[in-house]
């Protein structure tokens, strides 16, 4: 059984996932509303570039998302995407990249449970928790 975050964006999904690929690496796939097969639900011209589905796969992980087709996007609430890096240096690099242009809600620092932990909301509105895998978690 697997759980995979599926994030919604208010028109910035492509930019966000391009940024996530730059930070984490991996294979990025993006499908826009205009990519829907002929005969499917017609897409208004103003929505043609909206992302219908994006997926970023890396190291056995999968992050997915799309632009909110309802137009009612009001930010991500009630959850955070957790990223556990293999070491404190990588965790700090990822945290700093995610926090750039966003808001740090807990500065990255050593804690009693991790060599490095921090929380931020990136410039796209996605809340993140970044930590360092403890030796028993790393594999």
């Amino acid at each position: 059984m697997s759980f995979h975050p599926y994030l919604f964006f208010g028109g910035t999904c492509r930019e966000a996932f391009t940024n996530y690929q730059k930070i984490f690496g991996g294979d990025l796939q993006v499908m826009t509303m205009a990519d829907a097969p002929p005969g499917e639900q017609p897409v208004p011209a103003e929505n043609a570039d909206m992302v219908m589905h994006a997926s970023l796969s890396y190291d056995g992980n999968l992050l997915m998302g799309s632009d909110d087709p309802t137009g009612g996007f009001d930010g991500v609430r009630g959850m955070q995407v957790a990223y556990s890096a293999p070491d404190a240096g990588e965790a700090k690099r990822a945290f700093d990249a995610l926090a750039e242009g966003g808001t740090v809600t807990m500065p990255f620092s050593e804690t009693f449970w991790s060599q490095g932990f921090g929380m931020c909301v990136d410039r796209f509105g996605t809340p993140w928790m970044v930590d360092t895998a403890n030796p028993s978690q790393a594999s």
Side-chain angles (χ1 to χ4, degrees):
M1 177 155 73
S2 298
F3 295 96
H4 302 288
Y6 198 101
L7 308 173
F8 282 108
F9 297 87
T12 60
C13 183
R14 180 186 298 276
E15 184 182 357
F17 269 72
T18 299
N19 188 56
Y20 301 154
Q21 183 186 36
K22 187 171 23 171
I23 294 168
F24 302 112
D27 180 42
L28 175 61
Q29 302 292 318
V30 177
M31 180 188 314
T32 66
M33 298 289 189
D35 294 329
E40 292 297 316
Q41 191 123 17
V43 177
E46 66 271 12
N47 292 345
D49 288 335
M50 287 182 70
V51 173
M52 181 187 314
H53 180 71
S55 65
L56 179 63
S57 57
Y58 57 97
D59 293 336
N61 297 291
L62 180 63
L63 182 65
M64 299 180 290
S66 68
D67 286 317
D68 183 351
T70 68
F73 179 77
D74 191 27
V76 178
R77 301 184 193 288
M79 60 74 68
Q80 295 198 1
V81 179
Y83 170 67
S84 187
D87 60 64
E90 172 58 18
K92 176 75 166 122
R93 183 201 65 77
F95 178 83
D96 288 346
L98 291 164
E100 185 177 328
T103 304
V104 172
T105 55
M106 183 176 177
F108 189 86
S109 65
E110 188 171 347
T111 65
F112 68 89
W113 71 86
S114 177
Q115 293 175 348
F117 176 84
M119 298 187 323
C120 65
V121 178
D122 71 22
R123 68 180 185 262
F124 307 104
T126 303
W128 291 87
M129 292 189 322
V130 177
D131 76 347
T132 303
N134 67 42
S136 66
Q137 290 174 320
S139 51

